[in-house]
Amino acid sequence: MKILVPVKRVVDYNVKVRVKPDASDVDLANVKMSMNPFDEIAVEEAVRLKEAGIATEVIAVSAGIANCQETLRTAMAIGADRGILIQTDVELQPLAVAKLLKAVCEKEQPQIVLCGKQAIDDDANQTGQMLAGLMNWPQATFASKIVTAGQLATVTREIDGGLETVEVPLPAVLTVDLRLNEPRYATLPNIMKAKKKPLETTNPATLGVDVSPRLKTLKVAEPPKRTAGIKVADASDLVMKLKTEAKVI
Amino acid sequence: MAILVIAEHDHTSIKAATRNAVTAATKIGEIHLLVAGSACAAAADAAAGLTGVSKVLVADAPHYADQSPENLAALVVANVASHTHLLAAATTSGKNFMPRVAALLDVAQISEIIGVESADTFVRPIYAGNVVATVQSADPVKVITVRATAFEAAGDGGSARIESLGAGPDLAQNKLVGRELSKSERPELTAAKIIVSGGRGMGNGENFHRLLEPLADRLGAALGASRAAVDAGYVSNDYQVGQTGKIVAPQLYIAVGISGAIQHLAGMKDSKVIVAINKDAEAPIFQVADYGLVGDLFEVLPALQAELG
């Protein structure tokens, strides 16, 4: 079976982001960018399914500026077979990405689309669910375990209060949680090999998708700063302060 | 024109986070509550008692027993008429089906709002809560999930009328095999007034339970954990507080052996009072803690327990 893995280029998770002085956006100039950590887990899972003989081909797809091809090369270094870049300079929101992915799904006919559960920049947690809705496919989100057998995927999902297991017929959209696996490091030989793997470039117009943003960001701001309080000497001092000063116990 | 809040429930009672979503909705307009379930009359009655709700719509059918996102989304889309806003709590359930609803309606979703500026303008955190964005939607229907900790819970005392709703089709795309819920006598993490949370510093799962449980019990607190503690296998992942776990904002958050990574802070930095107990005086958690105690948790926790009596 074919597996499609959407990957997003985002600010590296270790970076402390700053807001631009005009409050229009986050300042991304000269900031380290990486593959969204949840997407790395999705690529790893797809590659493991290929290594297990279940998947025949793993296709990584990314939408955004030309630099997103670096993210696709990273996916191919982990083990994806080829990449598709949907190149655009327009700011992409989840609905637009889901529509672009729908167009790719219609062309490539994957059995599973494996998405990260959310991107660590917009924290939307929407794209996989939207794609499933647009394709009228079943969805299984926040997966911490995926088992496929024939035309069925059995997925253990992380929910509030514990775990649940669901069965969905394929084709389906699955979104992955952190606990699913530990992504491998791409080795230098694999990084070199990834440079030779096919990377197709297309754009929203070719795919016939209107990607204009639906939500307008009026401003961004830093949240109110929390400042360091005081250090207490010992447990009795702490209990006294919580009782008499903070009055929370 | 009214707002439709999709209630999260267990067929007999309404989940706490839905009460917070109702409060967010009161800032926009008239509220209808949708209860989809199986043999869910008790949940519908509970919904009708929520302050601020004018009408409860009930879809009672066997195929809503498991609340599959496919069936739920289809039902919501079929009943969107005359509603300008669709709201649900940003729980794992709300996050699961609402974007599907938005896509079927061809509108954007606004995730995890923490503020309502006007009927079309909302405030939401991005970048793990390090930035807040004010966004405006021009879509005909606003599809929104609500961060529960950012709004008060709606109380009881309402008397909405209950109307039954025709069930949508059973799409049968998603079969629930089983649920494995963590059983706990303690309050639910996201609704607790006090949370005692442990990190990698606890050393192992046995220490975690032996040292933190008595403290949590003494304070009537819920137990939480950092991702490091979960990954190390000390506790199961539904304890996890953070960007990828649960977002909490209790009156008192006690972080024990937690360094305070960005990911963790995203889940707890709106707590009213934060206490940090850590042997590393340079740990980032002390930069947000109201009360910091630098010391070995294996000495501090028993002393704290003794002090509380």
Side-chain angles (χ1 to χ4, degrees):
Chain A
M1 77 171 72
K2 230 189 231 188
I3 300 184
L4 188 74
V5 188
V7 293
K8 185 176 185 184
R9 177 178 181 266
V10 298
V11 169
D12 187 85
Y13 72 100
N14 279 314
V15 171
K16 174 96 179 75
V17 293
R18 273 173 226 293
V19 168
K20 283 184 186 169
D22 68 355
S24 62
D25 202 351
V26 169
D27 192 353
L28 296 182
N30 304 316
V31 171
K32 187 186 176 204
M33 306 294 280
S34 303
M35 189 192 296
N36 180 42
F38 292 100
D39 302 346
E40 247 182 292
I41 293 167
V43 176
E44 173 68 34
E45 191 68 14
V47 172
R48 287 186 192 189
L49 286 167
K50 191 178 173 201
E51 287 165 348
I54 293 164
T56 48
E57 189 181 29
V58 176
I59 308 160
V61 52
S62 193
I65 60 170
N67 286 344
C68 293
Q69 57 180 277
E70 292 162 18
T71 314
L72 289 168
R73 292 290 174 203
T74 306
M76 290 189 268
I78 297 172
D81 297 294
R82 60 186 168 99
I84 301 172
L85 171 64
I86 307 164
Q87 197 173 328
T88 173
D89 291 332
V90 177
E91 177 217 333
L92 294 175
Q93 294 176 349
L95 183 64
V97 176
K99 287 180 178 177
L100 293 170
L101 293 174
K102 177 178 187 253
V104 174
C105 281
E106 282 164 353
K107 182 161 166 267
E108 298 284 349
Q109 303 282 327
Q111 286 293 94
I112 297 179
V113 180
L114 213 48
C115 307
K117 76 162 178 180
Q118 74 187 61
I120 60 164
D121 52 0
D122 65 15
D123 282 335
N125 195 334
Q126 299 175 11
T127 306
Q129 295 91 314
M130 286 182 152
L131 174 63
L134 295 175
M135 296 300 290
N136 196 25
W137 285 356
Q139 65 185 58
T141 52
F142 323 144
S144 59
K145 191 180 173 198
I146 297 170
V147 179
T148 59
Q151 286 303 299
L152 205 63
T154 305
V155 179
T156 303
R157 307 180 53 235
E158 300 199 359
I159 57 168
D160 296 331
L163 299 171
E164 76 173 23
T165 303
V166 297
E167 274 176 9
V168 291
L170 302 179
V173 178
L174 313 182
T175 81
V176 310
D177 219 317
L178 277 177
R179 236 81 47 185
L180 183 65
N181 62 44
E182 190 92 27
R184 72 194 67 181
Y185 287 101
T187 58
L188 188 60
N190 284 342
I191 293 169
M192 300 310 290
K193 263 187 242 162
K195 290 186 179 170
K196 297 202 176 72
K197 290 184 179 175
L199 197 161
E200 174 196 340
T201 301
T202 179
N203 61 58
T206 308
L207 295 171
V209 177
D210 172 14
V211 293
S212 36
R214 298 295 187 83
L215 297 177
K216 193 165 130 196
T217 301
L218 301 181
K219 64 169 182 196
V220 300
E222 309 237 344
K225 277 255 181 312
R226 246 199 127 97
T227 48
I230 56 162
K231 293 264 166 66
V232 294
D234 53 28
S236 83
D237 192 12
L238 176 61
V239 170
M240 198 265 293
K241 290 229 160 47
L242 290 178
K243 275 185 176 154
T244 58
E245 203 176 277
K247 297 189 172 67
V248 285
I249 57 171
Chain B
M1 292 308 221
I3 300 155
L4 189 64
V5 179
I6 296 96
E8 189 174 343
H9 62 89
D10 58 5
H11 308 282
T12 53
S13 63
I14 299 293
K15 293 271 170 77
T18 296
R19 292 176 178 268
N20 308 89
V22 166
T23 301
T26 56
K27 298 177 193 301
I28 311 167
E30 188 195 343
I31 303 169
H32 298 168
L33 210 56
L34 173 67
V35 177
S38 174
C40 59
D45 284 343
L50 292 188
T51 309
V53 176
S54 70
K55 186 160 76 174
V56 174
L57 301 167
V58 185
D60 200 327
H63 59 272
Y64 297 127
D66 302 334
Q67 316 264 308
S68 82
E70 296 86 358
N71 282 346
L72 203 48
L75 177 73
V76 173
V77 169
N79 289 283
V80 73
S82 82
H83 293 104
T84 53
H85 295 70
L86 299 175
L87 267 69
T91 55
T92 49
S93 162
K95 288 174 182 175
N96 193 19
F97 76 88
M98 280 296 254
R100 193 173 175 106
V101 170
L104 293 173
L105 294 172
D106 191 27
V107 301
Q109 177 186 280
I110 309 163
S111 296
E112 293 216 33
I113 61 161
I114 55 170
V116 177
E117 300 251 299
S118 70
D120 68 359
T121 306
F122 307 90
V123 183
R124 61 175 303 260
I126 52 176
Y127 291 91
N130 288 305
V131 180
V132 288
T134 306
V135 296
Q136 189 175 39
S137 163
D139 283 323
V141 181
K142 276 62 164 172
V143 175
I144 296 166
T145 63
V146 178
R147 180 172 286 189
T149 56
F151 299 91
E152 298 287 317
D156 293 306
S159 55
R161 66 178 191 281
I162 300 179
E163 268 177 33
S164 86
L165 207 63
D170 182 4
L171 300 172
Q173 282 180 313
N174 202 317
K175 189 173 134 205
L176 181 68
V177 178
R179 285 203 176 115
E180 213 181 298
L181 302 180
S182 304
K183 290 184 185 64
S184 172
E185 301 291 305
R186 295 188 191 84
E188 199 190 342
L189 194 52
T190 48
K193 289 207 161 54
I194 302 178
I195 294 173
V196 176
S197 217
R200 204 200 304 269
M202 300 309 298
N204 58 45
E206 193 204 326
N207 286 340
F208 196 101
H209 293 289
R210 181 173 57 87
L211 292 167
L212 294 183
E213 277 179 4
L215 182 63
D217 290 343
R218 171 64 187 79
L219 294 168
L223 214 48
S226 69
R227 188 183 160 201
V230 171
D231 283 349
Y234 303 170
V235 285
S236 64
N237 54 40
D238 46 311
Y239 285 84
Q240 186 184 323
V241 172
Q243 184 185 20
T244 56
K246 295 199 172 70
I247 311 288
V248 300
Q251 294 287 304
L252 172 61
Y253 189 90
I254 304 179
V256 186
I258 292 175
S259 64
I262 294 176
Q263 198 276 346
H264 187 74
L265 298 181
M268 47 64 81
K269 68 184 168 57
D270 294 324
S271 306
K272 184 158 172 276
V273 175
I274 297 173
V275 169
I277 299 170
N278 205 302
K279 66 179 175 194
D280 175 11
E282 305 298 317
I285 190 80
F286 286 118
Q287 291 163 20
V288 300
D290 300 284
Y291 300 103
L293 176 46
V294 179
D296 185 347
L297 64 94
F298 294 98
E299 288 160 22
V300 173
L301 287 177
L304 198 54
Q305 193 74 24
E307 224 24 76
L308 290 164

